[in-house]
Structures are given as C-alpha cells and as structure tokens.
Amino acid sequence: MVSLEAAHAMQEALLKKFAELGVAYQLYTHPPVLTVDEQAAQVKGATGEFTKNLLLKDKKGRLILISALTKTKIDLKLLSQRLGLGKGGLRMAPDENLATVLQVPAGCVTPLALFSDSAKDVVLLLDHGFTSQPHLLFHPLSNDATVALTREAFEAFLRSVGRSEPAYVDLEANVVVGKDQPPDLAAHLPAPSTAAAAADGTSAVTTAATSSSSGTSAGPSTSTSGPKAGAAGAAGKGKTAPQKKTPAAVPKGPPGDDVATCTTRILEMLTEHMKKCNGNSTVADQTASGSSTTEDLALNLQHALVMFKNAAYTNGFFAGRSAVLDRVQGS
C-alpha cells in the first residue's frame, strides 16, 4: 500500500511537471476525504466541476480508468458490453493495482496518476461531458488535496504523458450491443499482453502443450524401456523406425462457412489434444473425471470464442474465424 507521505512526494513531482509544461492550476489542501460529497464540502467555492474516477479490470487483466463528471451515471454491465467484454467482464480493480500501477493510496484514483511510468498501459476513457466544462477538479495523487485545471491544461498534461488523443466517450449512451450493433467502445481496448494473460491463467493450455511437444514433464521420469526404446532398437537392427507424423494443417473453410462449423472444428482440435495428453479419453471423459486440464481447456476455449465474437463484429466474420483458429493452433 502507498502511504500518504509517498503520495505527497509524487504530488510534488506532478506539480513540478505542471510548472515545466507551463500549466496553470489552483491547489486546494484539506483533510483526507473518501467521497466526492466530502470533497465538495471541504473545497467550497472552488472553480470547476468535481469528478469521480474508477479503476476497473477485465478478465484478461487489462486496467481501464474511467474519469467522469459526478452527475454522470455509469452502468458497468452496459459499459462492459460496449467494450466487447460481455455483461460481467468488468470489476473494480483491487487495491494492489492502485499501489503498483497508479502508485496512489486507496481513495485517490485520478487520471493524473498516468504521470507514473507504471501506468502507461492503463486505458483511459473520459466523460464526453468534460468537453463542455472550462475547469475540472481532480485529486493530485492524494485525497487531502484538490487541483483545479482548465480542460486545455488537462489535455496538455495528457499529451505530455503520451495521451495525445484523449478518448472522450458518452458513458450514458444506451447502446444495445447485438448482431446489428457491434461493441462501440471495443476499439479502445488493446490486445491483452502476455503478462496479463499469464496472470489470469489463460496461458496454462499453451504451457501444457509446449511441455508435451518437447517431451518434458513436471511429473516422474518415464522408463527408457518403453515404445521409444523399442523403436531405437528396431532402427539399430536395420529396421525402419516409424516416422513421427506431422499434424495436418487445419483446412480453411469455403466462403459461406458459419460459426457452428468453426466451433465444431475447434472442439475437434481440443479433443485431439486431450487424446494426446490422456490416452484415448475424450473431452467429455475428462470432464467426468474432474480433470484440471479440462478446466484449463474450457477457460482457453471461452477466451478464444470471446475473441472470435469481438473480431467478427469489428473486422468481419472471416477475419474473426482466422484469429480464433490461429490462436487454437498456437495452443
């Protein structure tokens, strides 16, 4: 957890950056506050609109910072759908992300925390209502102070930290995502990083497949008197050793191919993977026995299908199918 003293040190560096940029600001100090109402009571007569700020996290580990006017209503389920994450794809980020990424104490979420290098990958979505406000009020990395900035000064700060094109979005828009309406905010999310995927366990199947193909295992070592030794012995006696078959490439579907066909192809590939890892048992057999490998495969398939859906909405069906098949082949 970041102490208030550490936050004050970061705040001094932030204000120094404002001075270097020639950004005019008004700083108000007050006792620590935890809500916007408490902040407003402590900073009476301040010029500007108070803001509320949320740090959210999706299932792939990506962090999204929402900064909005206090009167703006934010429906997280609808926002999740508009980002292409489904109804339950967003949750509040844990305090550890505030400390390690934004480097602020709890209750101090602010877009000014993008000043930290550790926050460079945080997605920032700003309330479109900001564009009609001459002044905005934020916490300057600690909740015992409030800083007033003009919108132009705020945007100058964002440009200085690499946010040259701030994303202003209508957070109250009632967008019904469906077949005829793709997620309108999905383009604001970057592809999940390898580190984020590993943190969420989405790389477990890839790791298992790699270990299997390389012949390594975390379990007990196998005897050399098995089939491999027999094959070597046969080769030594002049007999031709059986050649390892190269998996056939997944055929591309003809024009007009549909989602059901693509999904069936994916399940066939998963079943083949289970047979290689667990004898001749199928995915259904492994599910019945409670295999943890099956759980990993199910999770990976779920992520793959979500990725397919989003890609299909934004890039067309064939582009989405290609993205999913490439991911499954890589597993």
Side-chain angles (χ1 to χ4, degrees):
M1 178 178 290
V2 177
S3 67
L4 201 55
E5 290 74 16
H8 287 162
M10 291 289 291
Q11 183 184 116
E12 290 181 9
L14 173 66
L15 298 180
K16 182 178 179 180
K17 187 174 184 67
F18 284 169
E20 293 172 351
L21 295 171
V23 168
Y25 64 92
Q26 181 66 48
L27 183 66
Y28 303 88
T29 58
H30 49 75
V33 295
L34 295 177
T35 66
V36 175
D37 289 339
E38 292 178 11
Q39 184 183 19
Q42 293 292 338
V43 192
K44 294 179 179 178
T47 300
E49 288 292 323
F50 289 96
T51 60
K52 58 184 177 183
N53 301 276
L54 304 173
L55 184 63
L56 307 173
K57 191 172 188 178
D58 73 1
K59 292 180 179 179
K60 296 182 182 295
R62 294 171 293 196
L63 294 173
I64 305 161
L65 199 160
I66 307 294
S67 188
L69 299 175
T70 55
K71 63 183 179 181
T72 299
K73 296 180 180 179
I74 302 175
D75 184 331
L76 291 186
K77 289 185 178 180
L78 178 57
L79 179 62
S80 180
Q81 288 180 294
R82 293 177 64 190
L83 288 168
L85 304 174
K87 290 184 179 180
L90 286 176
R91 66 184 187 275
M92 299 299 293
D95 287 348
E96 65 186 64
N97 288 138
L98 271 64
T100 60
V101 180
L102 297 187
Q103 297 189 34
V104 298
C108 303
V109 176
T110 168
L112 301 181
L114 299 179
F115 167 71
S116 300
D117 290 340
S118 55
K120 62 182 177 63
D121 293 327
V122 175
V123 176
L124 176 64
L125 297 181
L126 301 173
D127 188 350
H128 188 268
F130 282 5
T131 59
S132 61
Q133 301 299 325
H135 292 83
L136 298 165
L137 299 170
F138 303 102
H139 282 315
L141 311 183
S142 68
N143 61 357
D144 60 353
T146 297
V147 66
L149 296 169
T150 64
R151 184 169 60 84
E152 293 76 15
F154 177 52
E155 291 182 350
F157 162 77
L158 292 178
R159 287 193 296 271
S160 75
V161 295
R163 312 284 175 143
S164 57
E165 296 182 3
Y168 291 101
V169 300
D170 185 353
L171 295 170
E172 293 185 320
N174 187 22
V175 178
V176 180
V177 176
K179 180 179 179 181
D180 299 323
Q181 174 58 62
D184 61 315
L185 302 181
H188 294 293
L189 290 183
S193 65
T194 303
D200 283 352
T202 56
S203 62
V205 174
T206 302
T207 303
T210 302
S211 297
S212 176
S213 63
S214 64
T216 59
S217 173
S221 60
T222 56
S223 171
T224 58
S225 61
K228 288 186 178 180
K237 295 179 180 179
K239 296 181 180 180
T240 303
Q243 299 296 318
K244 185 177 181 180
K245 294 183 179 180
T246 302
V250 178
K252 298 292 183 181
D257 200 4
D258 58 14
V259 177
T261 302
C262 184
T263 303
T264 300
R265 193 173 295 124
I266 294 172
L267 291 176
E268 289 173 352
M269 294 166 69
L270 290 175
T271 300
E272 186 64 25
H273 175 75
M274 292 299 296
K275 288 181 178 180
K276 291 179 180 178
C277 295
N278 304 284
N280 292 322
S281 59
T282 65
V283 172
D285 295 333
Q286 293 299 315
T287 302
S289 63
S291 170
S292 60
T293 302
T294 301
E295 294 176 359
D296 290 339
L297 285 172
L299 180 61
N300 200 52
L301 176 59
Q302 180 185 14
H303 289 162
L305 292 178
V306 170
M307 181 184 68
F308 169 77
K309 181 186 71 174
N310 293 341
Y313 277 144
T314 56
N315 300 317
F317 170 73
F318 292 109
R321 180 188 64 181
S322 176
V324 174
L325 292 178
D326 288 344
R327 173 168 178 155
V328 173
Q329 283 181 297
S331 298

